[in-house]
């Protein structure tokens, strides 16, 4: 459930509950905003998620991750919203904190081509990101629509404004491209696999880029309850001073859709 391997002790008891959304983990890098809802259901749909881990004794820490995804789908329009809050403390000291809000609109121009408009706001003080604002406009192309498999490609222009902590020089503004590929399919009737990749270079300097690849594996359990295993690797060629260029997560839990 946690992003780092930890040994939980609490006089012999460790308490944890995991309800993972596929877009969880607002980390200041790229997040997967392609999932988190029913793709085919007209009307309202979404999911909520919560993850908590507590340990006391030789190791003391607390982790809380709350996330939600909701959408309204009409005949041609689709409006989506994502939110995520993540906080970790160890021995009473904050060691991680991140929040994210993402709003997205799609309009089906043809059976294959969809417009793409999104706004994203996030912060992560532990990656020295006081605030980051993104505004994007582009298109998504559904290149495969089979009975059990689908694949999409996308491209957009993205305007970025970023404020770093302990930096009084004002916001850094950049023009980025954003390119993604997504594959979603059923290995069996109960097992769903979702793989994705993002690449976001600065338009005037493609060596200054962010990239992210990941996958989620959903195994249906009972009703709307599913076991979820997620992996993600993120890279930033020019992070804030003192921040690592890459991050990796492996998470496991359960999810409830509504």
């Amino acid at each position: 459930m946690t992003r780092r391997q930890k040994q939980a002790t609490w006089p012999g008891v460790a308490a944890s509950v995991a309800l993972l959304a596929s877009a969880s983990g607002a980390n200041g890098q790229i997040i997967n905003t392609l999932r988190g809802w029913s793709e085919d259901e007209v009307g309202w749909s979404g999911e909520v998620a919560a993850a908590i881990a507590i340990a006391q004794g030789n190791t003391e820490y607390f982790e809380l991750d709350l996330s939600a995804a909701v959408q309204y789908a009409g005949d041609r329009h689709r409006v989506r919203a994502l939110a995520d809050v993540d906080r970790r403390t160890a021995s009473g000291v904050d060691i991680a904190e991140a929040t994210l809000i993402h709003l997205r609109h799609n309009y089906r121009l043809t059976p294959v081509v969809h417009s793409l408009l999104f706004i994203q706001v996030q912060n992560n003080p532990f990656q020295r990101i006081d605030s980051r604002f993104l505004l994007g406009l582009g298109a998504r192309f559904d290149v495969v629509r089979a009975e059990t498999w689908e694949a999409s490609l996308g491209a957009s222009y993205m305007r970025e404004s970023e404020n770093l902590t302990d930096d009084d020089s004002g916001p850094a503004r950049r023009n980025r491209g954003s390119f993604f590929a997504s594959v979603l399919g059923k290995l069996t009737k109960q097992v769903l696999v979702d793989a994705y990749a993002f690449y976001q270079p600065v338009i005037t300097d493609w060596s200054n880029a962010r990239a992210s690849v990941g996958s989620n594996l959903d195994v249906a359990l009972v009703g709307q309850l599913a076991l979820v295993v997620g992996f993600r690797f993120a890279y930033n060629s020019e992070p804030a001073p003192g921040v690592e260029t890459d991050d990796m997560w492996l998470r496991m839990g359960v999810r409830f859709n509504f």
Side-chain angles (χ1 to χ4, degrees):
M1 184 177 75
T2 58
R3 294 172 185 152
R4 300 175 183 171
Q5 185 176 1
K6 302 175 182 176
Q7 181 178 1
T9 60
W10 182 6
V13 178
S16 64
V17 177
L19 286 169
L20 297 180
S22 59
S24 66
N27 53 57
Q29 298 273 0
I30 305 170
I31 64 162
N32 178 20
T33 56
L34 307 177
R35 301 287 176 241
W37 36 68
S38 168
E39 289 290 326
D40 302 319
E41 184 177 348
V42 175
W44 290 97
S45 63
E47 65 184 32
V48 294
I52 185 172
I54 302 172
Q56 292 183 352
N58 294 320
T59 302
E60 296 185 4
Y61 68 86
F62 172 80
E63 179 175 357
L64 175 65
D65 190 345
L66 302 174
S67 59
V70 64
Q71 81 162 1
Y72 178 78
D75 183 32
R76 286 179 171 268
H77 293 273
R78 192 181 299 265
V79 181
R80 297 163 166 173
L82 301 173
D84 187 280
V85 178
D86 189 8
R87 183 174 182 181
R88 274 174 280 163
T89 62
S91 300
V93 178
D94 290 342
I95 60 173
E97 180 183 349
T99 58
L100 177 141
I101 298 174
H102 181 95
L103 303 176
R104 173 172 297 228
H105 175 266
N106 293 106
Y107 182 78
R108 179 165 52 85
L109 299 170
T110 73
V112 174
V113 182
H114 302 253
S115 69
L116 172 62
L117 173 66
F118 67 87
I119 297 173
Q120 182 171 304
V121 180
Q122 63 190 115
N123 86 313
N124 189 324
F126 288 83
Q127 291 190 1
R128 294 196 60 211
I129 299 171
D130 183 58
S131 66
R132 177 182 288 159
F133 175 82
L134 304 175
L135 175 63
L137 175 65
R140 189 186 85 232
F141 305 90
D142 297 335
V143 294
V144 175
R145 287 293 176 185
E147 182 178 355
T148 58
W149 288 91
E150 60 185 65
S152 300
L153 300 174
S156 67
Y157 160 80
M158 189 168 66
R159 180 63 172 174
E160 175 183 81
S161 178
E162 183 178 69
N163 280 290
L164 299 181
T165 59
D166 304 321
D167 188 344
D168 298 328
S169 61
R173 296 182 174 90
R174 308 177 186 92
N175 297 310
R176 288 186 182 271
S178 182
F179 308 93
F180 70 81
S182 171
V183 177
L184 178 69
K186 291 185 178 181
L187 295 179
T188 69
K189 186 177 180 180
Q190 289 78 28
V191 180
L192 179 71
V193 61
D194 179 8
Y196 58 90
F198 286 88
Y199 177 59
Q200 297 179 343
V202 174
I203 292 177
T204 56
D205 181 9
W206 282 52
S207 64
N208 182 354
R210 301 190 189 105
S212 179
V213 295
S215 64
N216 295 298
L217 188 69
D218 287 34
V219 182
L221 298 176
V222 178
Q224 300 300 312
L225 191 65
L227 172 69
V228 180
V229 179
F231 168 80
R232 182 156 55 97
F233 176 82
Y235 172 79
N236 186 351
S237 65
E238 295 190 17
V243 178
E244 297 289 337
T245 59
D246 54 77
D247 290 294
M248 185 177 67
W249 298 267
L250 179 63
R251 308 189 74 182
M252 180 179 295
V254 293
R255 181 170 61 199
F256 180 78
N257 294 331
F258 64 89

